[in-house]
Amino acid sequence: MTKQRKFLLSEAEMPEAWYNITASMANKPLPPLNPQTQEPIGPEALAPLFPMGLIQQEVTTEKWITIPDEVRHLNSLWRPTPLYRAYGLEKALDTPAKIYYKYEGVSPSGSHKPNTAIAQAYYNKQEGVKRITTETGAGQWGSALSFACQHFGIECEVYMVKISYNQKPYRKLMMNTWGASVIASPSDKTQAGQKVLAEHPDSPGSLGIAISEAVERAATDEHTKYSLGSVLNHVLMHQTIIGQEAAVQMEKAGDFPDVVVSPFGGGSNFAGIAFPFLRYNLEEGKNIRCIASEPASCPKLTKGVFRYDFGDTIGMTPLLPMYTLGHNFVPAPIHAGGLRYHGAGVVVSQLLKDKLIAARAHHQLECFEAGIQFAQAEGIIPAPEANHAIATVIAEAQRAKEEGTSKTILFNLCGHGNFDMAAYEDYLSGKLQEHQLTDQEIQEAIAQIDTPEIV
Amino acid sequence: MTKQRKFLLSEAEMPEAWYNITASMANKPLPPLNPQTQEPIGPEALAPLFPMGLIQQEVTTEKWITIPDEVRHLNSLWRPTPLYRAYGLEKALDTPAKIYYKYEGVSPSGSHKPNTAIAQAYYNKQEGVKRITTETGAGQWGSALSFACQHFGIECEVYMVKISYNQKPYRKLMMNTWGASVIASPSDKTQAGQKVLAEHPDSPGSLGIAISEAVERAATDEHTKYSLGSVLNHVLMHQTIIGQEAAVQMEKAGDFPDVVVSPFGGGSNFAGIAFPFLRYNLEEGKNIRCIASEPASCPKLTKGVFRYDFGDTIGMTPLLPMYTLGHNFVPAPIHAGGLRYHGAGVVVSQLLKDKLIAARAHHQLECFEAGIQFAQAEGIIPAPEANHAIATVIAEAQRAKEEGTSKTILFNLCGHGNFDMAAYEDYLSGKLQEHQLTDQEIQEAIAQIDTPEIV
C-alpha cells in the first residue's frame, strides 16, 4: 500500500484536560478594566452574563483543567478529528516542505466552534440556566451553539446580523434544525434593537448591534446567560484539544512541526492549534514558529496597536488589553466573516507583544486562489476563513522551495466551505472585490480610539 | 471514558478487492437485449461508451476484482469511512435495538459517489480517454465525477438538468471548483438538445434528456467516453468497499447486524452496504435481512413489475431485466433527487425477484421527520436520500421496542445534507408537499410499458 495520508486517534486518546497557556507565560496578560473607573475588575463583574464554572476558567491560574466526561462523550461524536498529510498539495506546489493539516470540518456544524459551544452549554446546564443568547454573523458560531444547547435541553436564542440572515438562509436553517430560534438583528425584542430601528428602520445590522441585543437579554433575565465564541480565555482554552490531538498525531506520523499556522479572527482558532505547541517553546525551549493568518482588510495583529479597548463596537464590555484597530473600525465585507473582528483576544495579544508568535496578512483574492488550489489537490473545499491559513502555508512552502530546505508545516483547516459556495461563485466569476486598506485609513481608525493607552 | 461511538480503520485495512455478487448468486441475472433484435448483446456493444477495463468488470464472472493501488491511494483521501454507534438516536427512540451507521458523507463531494467516480476515471485514463461526459440531476454524481476527472487530468463535461442548474447553483459551483464544465440541459451543444429546444424553447430539462446529450457526445467523439453513477454492475461493484469495511468495523464493535438498510435509487448505495453482507447469506447460510428504502412516490421495488425496460427515458440503452415503473414514468419532484429513477439495477432486481432482499417505501414527510430526529440526536444533517434509510431504521427500532426484543441494525448514511438545506427549509416551514401515488396511477404507468415481458 502507498503512503499513509491520515493519522487517526481512538476516542480513548482524546485529551483529558484543557491547557491554560497563561500558566506557562512569564508575562501574564494585563487585567481587564472597568470602563468607568478604569480600575481592574474582578470575576464577579462577569456573573450576570456567564455561569461561575466558566468565570472560574476565565481567571484560573491552573495549567490544566479537567474536561468533564459528559463533554468528552459528546465531543466524541466527531473527535478526535483526523490529521492529514497533504501529499496532493505538496505535489501541486512541488515543494520540499512537508505539509500536514488538522481537519476540524468533521464536526456537526462544520468547524472547530462546537469544541467550546459544548463545554459552555454544559457549564450553563450545571447551573440551571434555561436560555443562552448569542450573536452570530455568517452563522458558524450560532449553529455550533444551537447544536450544543439542543443536546443539553437549553433554549438558544441567536441574534443574527440582518444582512446575513437574509443572504445566508441555510445557516439559519441549520440552527432551526437544531431547535434554536434565530432573530434578525436589529430586532424589536430588545431596547437596543428598538433604538436602532427607530433611528434606522432599514438597518442591515452589525455584529456590534447583535452583541448588544444578546447581552441585553442575558443581563435583564435571571434565567438567561450569554455566550461568546472566541476572544475570552475560557473559550480559547476549550479549543486547545485541537493542538493536543495534533501533537500526538504528528508523533504517530514520525514528524514534528517547524511551523504552525492558523486563521485569525478573535483567537480561538489560533489558540486551538498553536497553544499546545507554544507550550514546548515556553517550557522546553523549543522554537516552533506559530503564525496567525489574518485578512489584509482587518490587520489588527500586523498593523494594529496594543492598548486597552472595548471588546464590542458599542462599548458594553470591560476594557481589554489587546491589539486593536479600534472598536469603531468596521472591516470591509469580505467573505471570511469569522475574521471580521476589530481586536485580538487578550492572551494572544500578550504573546504577540512579547514576540512569542508571528502574524501575517493576506488579501482576499490570494486567499481564494489558495483555497481553490487546496480543494483541487486535497478534495476538501475550505471555509473562506481557513483559506487565510492556506495562503500562509503556500507562501512558507514556496519559500522552502526557493531556499532548497525542507521543513514541516502544520495548519488548522478549521472548517469546510459547504455553506460558503456563494463566495466561491463570486471568486470564480471574477466578481470578488479586493479590499485594499491604506496605511492612512488604518492610522485614522487608530486615531479615533478614545480608550486608555498602555504605558 | 464513556461508551465508544466510532469504529475506525487504518488505511492499511482498506479492502483490496471489489466484490462481484453475481459470482455468489445461484440465479444469474438475465442478459441485456438489443432493442431492435431483442437478442442478448455482447460486451462489444458497450465499447463506444465505456473503456474496456470497465466493460470487462461489467460482464466478469470473477468474484473478487483487485483494486488498483492508485485508486486505493486516492480513496484514502477520505477512506476508510467511520462506522458510528448511534447512541443518541437509540436514546431518542428509547429502543432496545442497537443502531450503527456507516458514514459516507466524509468524501470530497459528500456522498458515496466518489467510490465509483475515481475507479471509472482511473480506467478511462488507462485507455487514454481525454473527456468524460455524464448527466446529473441535483448534482451529487456530477460533483463526484468532476473531482475524480480533475485528479486524473481528464476533461469532465456534465449535463445538468436545467431546472436544477438554476435552482441549485452551489452544486454547479462545486463542479466548477474541480474544473468541470457544467452545461444546462437541454443545450445547443448536441442534436438531442437542439431538437428539444426547437420544440420546447423553455424546457426545464429532465434526467432523460441530459442522458441523451451526454451519451450523444460520447458516441460521436472517439476521445470521449460516457460515465454512469449507478445501475450498472461495475458501478455497484465499486461501492462494495463500503460494506466490506463495515463488516470489519462491526467486528471491532463486537457486534454483527441482523438488519442492513440503505436508500435505494438505482442500486449502488444499496449494493455498497448490503452486498458484502448478502454474501454471508448466499455462501454461509446466514439470514441477515437487507432492506432497500425507496420513496413512496417512485416505488419500483415495492410496486413495480419485473420485466425488460430501457435504462433511460428516451430509449437509447439496451433493454435491461429489472423492476421498473416504465421508462416513461416521471417521478414527482421530491427532494431526494438521487432516488427519482424509474428502474432498479439488474443485479438488485434479480435478488428481489428471488426474495433474497426486501424493500420498503416511505413518504417524503416521514423521511424528513426522520432526518431531523437524526440530526438532533447525532449531529449530522443527512441528505434527503439518506432520510429514507433512517425512516426504515426508525420503524425497525420501534418494532423491536414493541416486541421487546433487541436487534442490531446497520444502515448506510450515504451523504450529508449541507447542499440540501432548501429542502429542509421547505419541510420546517410546512411547505413540503406529500406526493401520494394511487395504485391506479401506478397501474397506468406500468400499462404503458411497451418493452418485452420476461416469461
Side-chain angles (χ1 to χ4, degrees):
Chain A
M1 184 52 189
T2 43
K3 298 172 291 183
Q4 190 175 348
R5 281 189 198 273
K6 293 186 299 294
F7 301 89
L8 306 176
L9 299 178
S10 70
E11 287 164 37
E13 292 172 292
M14 288 173 66
E16 294 182 0
W18 293 302
Y19 170 54
N20 176 20
I21 197 173
T22 62
S24 310
M25 290 164 67
N27 294 339
K28 308 296 180 194
L30 298 171
L33 302 183
N34 177 314
Q36 275 75 48
T37 65
Q38 303 203 357
E39 293 295 317
I41 60 162
E44 69 288 347
L46 300 170
L49 296 186
F50 302 102
M52 281 315 298
L54 293 174
I55 294 173
Q56 281 162 11
Q57 289 179 9
E58 186 63 22
V59 299
T60 186
T61 56
E62 295 290 319
K63 190 187 291 183
W64 299 101
I65 314 296
T66 302
I67 306 174
D69 262 2
E70 197 173 344
V71 172
R72 290 180 80 220
H73 186 57
L74 192 53
N75 280 353
S76 76
L77 270 173
W78 75 97
R79 301 207 75 85
T81 60
L83 178 87
Y84 285 85
R85 171 85 182 264
Y87 286 116
L89 183 62
E90 290 173 20
K91 190 176 165 198
L93 297 172
D94 187 24
T95 175
K98 290 186 278 183
I99 303 173
Y100 293 84
Y101 58 99
K102 180 76 168 159
Y103 184 40
E104 291 290 307
V106 294
S107 82
S109 61
S111 82
H112 63 298
K113 291 291 184 190
N115 294 333
T116 184
I118 283 170
Q120 291 191 45
Y122 170 82
Y123 287 105
N124 275 282
K125 182 68 179 181
Q126 292 291 102
E127 299 181 26
V129 173
K130 301 274 182 282
R131 183 188 297 119
I132 298 179
T133 61
T134 199
E135 70 288 332
T136 202
Q140 193 57 270
W141 164 241
S143 51
L145 191 66
S146 302
F147 174 72
C149 284
Q150 178 243 272
H151 177 84
F152 288 106
I154 300 171
E155 269 183 56
C156 185
E157 203 172 279
V158 182
Y159 289 84
M160 186 171 187
V161 176
K162 192 176 275 174
I163 189 168
S164 295
Y165 182 95
N166 291 327
Q167 285 177 349
K168 306 200 172 183
Y170 295 163
R171 275 281 169 201
K172 174 186 59 172
L173 279 161
M174 194 177 213
M175 296 183 244
N176 293 151
T177 301
W178 287 324
S181 53
V182 185
I183 300 127
S185 168
S187 78
D188 58 8
K189 286 195 75 162
T190 64
Q191 291 187 359
Q194 288 162 14
K195 183 160 177 286
V196 173
L197 288 173
E199 291 172 16
H200 307 284
D202 298 327
S203 166
S206 74
L207 214 43
I209 298 166
I211 293 178
S212 303
E213 292 205 89
V215 167
E216 180 187 318
R217 286 281 287 161
T220 56
D221 182 329
E222 64 174 320
H223 298 299
T224 302
K225 297 287 182 191
Y226 167 73
S227 172
L228 194 62
S230 189
V231 178
L232 297 178
N233 195 25
H234 69 275
V235 184
L236 272 54
M237 199 183 292
H238 296 157
Q239 296 291 356
T240 58
I241 49 180
I242 299 174
Q244 290 182 62
E245 286 179 9
V248 179
Q249 288 165 309
M250 289 299 298
E251 196 177 330
K252 293 199 182 212
D255 221 331
F256 197 79
D258 302 303
V259 183
V260 174
V261 181
S262 163
F264 195 90
S268 80
N269 198 326
F270 178 77
I273 190 91
F275 282 7
F277 287 98
L278 277 169
R279 187 171 74 81
Y280 295 109
N281 292 359
L282 298 175
E283 297 186 358
E284 298 175 17
K286 281 209 163 51
N287 189 24
I288 306 160
R289 205 148 60 90
C290 295
I291 309 176
S293 304
E294 65 180 5
S297 54
C298 190
K300 61 246 183 185
L301 296 178
T302 51
K303 298 198 173 171
V305 288
F306 182 62
R307 66 186 288 171
Y308 275 102
D309 199 1
F310 290 107
D312 69 316
T313 304
I314 296 176
M316 297 176 73
T317 71
L319 289 166
L320 303 170
M322 60 186 189
Y323 278 89
T324 179
L325 296 163
H327 61 276
N328 289 312
F329 179 78
V330 179
I334 57 167
H335 279 288
L339 309 185
R340 294 182 63 236
Y341 184 69
H342 68 278
V346 168
V347 177
V348 178
S349 292
Q350 186 65 46
L351 291 166
L352 183 65
K353 173 74 180 156
D354 292 339
K355 299 192 167 55
L356 296 169
I357 62 172
R360 189 153 183 162
H362 297 279
H363 286 287
Q364 180 160 247
L365 293 176
E366 177 192 3
C367 291
F368 274 95
E369 191 182 343
I372 298 259
Q373 185 163 29
F374 184 86
Q376 294 188 344
E378 294 291 323
I380 297 168
I381 300 181
E385 288 82 2
N387 289 343
H388 290 72
I390 298 170
T392 296
V393 168
I394 290 176
E396 289 285 318
Q398 283 168 338
R399 211 175 65 179
K401 186 179 175 182
E402 287 157 18
E403 294 172 354
T405 57
S406 179
K407 71 181 136 184
T408 299
I409 305 169
L410 166 68
F411 76 98
N412 195 27
L413 184 62
C414 58
H416 62 65
N418 290 356
F419 290 86
D420 304 286
M421 295 309 290
Y424 282 90
E425 177 171 38
D426 284 356
Y427 174 74
L428 289 169
S429 66
K431 272 186 275 178
L432 200 66
Q433 286 185 7
E434 201 60 278
H435 294 282
Q436 303 287 358
L437 198 59
T438 65
D439 283 345
Q440 193 186 338
E441 285 170 317
I442 294 168
Q443 291 316 317
E444 284 169 7
I446 292 170
Q448 282 183 31
I449 307 177
D450 53 5
T451 47
E453 290 193 43
I454 294 168
V455 197
Chain B
M1 186 49 191
T2 44
K3 299 173 291 185
Q4 191 175 348
R5 283 190 197 272
K6 294 188 298 295
F7 301 91
L8 306 176
L9 300 178
S10 71
E11 286 164 38
E13 292 172 291
M14 288 173 64
E16 295 183 0
W18 293 301
Y19 169 55
N20 176 19
I21 197 173
T22 62
S24 310
M25 291 164 66
N27 294 339
K28 308 294 182 195
L30 298 171
L33 302 183
N34 178 314
Q36 276 74 49
T37 65
Q38 303 204 357
E39 294 295 319
I41 62 163
E44 69 289 348
L46 300 170
L49 297 186
F50 303 102
M52 281 315 295
L54 292 174
I55 294 172
Q56 280 161 12
Q57 289 179 10
E58 186 63 22
V59 299
T60 186
T61 56
E62 295 290 320
K63 190 187 292 183
W64 299 101
I65 314 296
T66 301
I67 306 174
D69 262 1
E70 198 174 343
V71 172
R72 289 180 80 219
H73 186 57
L74 192 52
N75 280 352
S76 76
L77 270 174
W78 75 97
R79 301 206 74 84
T81 60
L83 178 86
Y84 285 85
R85 172 84 183 265
Y87 286 116
L89 184 61
E90 290 173 20
K91 190 176 163 198
L93 297 172
D94 187 25
T95 176
K98 290 186 278 182
I99 304 174
Y100 293 84
Y101 58 97
K102 180 77 168 160
Y103 184 40
E104 291 290 306
V106 293
S107 82
S109 60
S111 81
H112 62 298
K113 291 291 185 192
N115 294 333
T116 184
I118 284 171
Q120 292 191 45
Y122 170 83
Y123 287 104
N124 275 283
K125 181 69 180 180
Q126 292 291 102
E127 297 180 29
V129 173
K130 300 273 185 280
R131 185 189 296 118
I132 299 179
T133 61
T134 198
E135 70 289 332
T136 202
Q140 193 58 269
W141 165 241
S143 51
L145 191 67
S146 302
F147 174 72
C149 285
Q150 178 243 274
H151 177 84
F152 288 105
I154 301 171
E155 269 183 55
C156 184
E157 203 172 277
V158 182
Y159 290 84
M160 187 172 187
V161 176
K162 192 177 275 176
I163 189 168
S164 295
Y165 182 95
N166 291 328
Q167 286 177 347
K168 306 199 172 186
Y170 295 163
R171 273 280 170 204
K172 176 186 58 171
L173 279 162
M174 194 177 211
M175 297 184 245
N176 293 150
T177 301
W178 288 324
S181 52
V182 185
I183 299 127
S185 168
S187 78
D188 58 9
K189 286 197 76 162
T190 65
Q191 292 186 1
Q194 288 162 13
K195 183 160 178 286
V196 174
L197 286 173
E199 292 171 20
H200 306 284
D202 298 326
S203 166
S206 74
L207 213 44
I209 297 166
I211 293 177
S212 304
E213 293 204 87
V215 167
E216 180 187 317
R217 285 281 287 161
T220 56
D221 181 330
E222 64 174 321
H223 298 300
T224 302
K225 297 286 182 192
Y226 168 73
S227 173
L228 193 62
S230 189
V231 178
L232 297 177
N233 194 23
H234 69 273
V235 185
L236 273 54
M237 199 184 291
H238 296 157
Q239 296 291 356
T240 58
I241 49 179
I242 300 173
Q244 290 184 62
E245 287 179 6
V248 179
Q249 288 165 308
M250 290 298 298
E251 197 178 329
K252 293 200 183 214
D255 221 331
F256 197 80
D258 301 302
V259 183
V260 175
V261 181
S262 164
F264 194 91
S268 81
N269 198 327
F270 178 78
I273 190 93
F275 282 7
F277 288 97
L278 278 167
R279 187 171 73 83
Y280 295 109
N281 291 359
L282 298 174
E283 297 187 357
E284 298 175 18
K286 281 211 165 50
N287 189 24
I288 307 160
R289 205 148 59 90
C290 295
I291 310 176
S293 304
E294 66 180 4
S297 55
C298 190
K300 61 245 184 186
L301 297 178
T302 51
K303 299 199 172 172
V305 288
F306 182 61
R307 65 185 287 170
Y308 275 102
D309 199 2
F310 289 107
D312 69 317
T313 303
I314 296 175
M316 297 178 70
T317 72
L319 290 165
L320 304 169
M322 60 186 188
Y323 277 90
T324 179
L325 295 163
H327 61 276
N328 289 312
F329 178 78
V330 179
I334 58 166
H335 279 289
L339 309 185
R340 294 181 64 235
Y341 184 69
H342 68 277
V346 168
V347 176
V348 178
S349 291
Q350 187 63 46
L351 290 166
L352 182 65
K353 173 77 180 154
D354 293 338
K355 299 190 169 55
L356 297 169
I357 61 172
R360 188 152 184 165
H362 297 280
H363 287 288
Q364 179 158 247
L365 293 177
E366 178 192 4
C367 292
F368 275 94
E369 190 183 346
I372 298 259
Q373 184 162 31
F374 184 85
Q376 295 189 343
E378 295 291 324
I380 297 168
I381 299 180
E385 290 81 2
N387 289 344
H388 291 73
I390 297 171
T392 297
V393 168
I394 290 175
E396 289 286 318
Q398 282 168 339
R399 211 175 65 179
K401 186 179 174 182
E402 287 157 18
E403 294 171 355
T405 58
S406 180
K407 72 181 135 185
T408 299
I409 305 170
L410 166 68
F411 77 96
N412 195 27
L413 184 63
C414 57
H416 62 65
N418 291 355
F419 290 87
D420 303 287
M421 295 309 291
Y424 282 91
E425 177 170 37
D426 284 356
Y427 175 73
L428 288 169
S429 65
K431 272 186 276 180
L432 199 67
Q433 286 184 7
E434 201 59 279
H435 294 282
Q436 303 288 359
L437 197 59
T438 64
D439 283 345
Q440 193 185 334
E441 285 170 319
I442 293 167
Q443 293 314 320
E444 283 171 7
I446 291 169
Q448 283 184 31
I449 307 177
D450 52 5
T451 48
E453 289 193 44
I454 294 166
V455 198

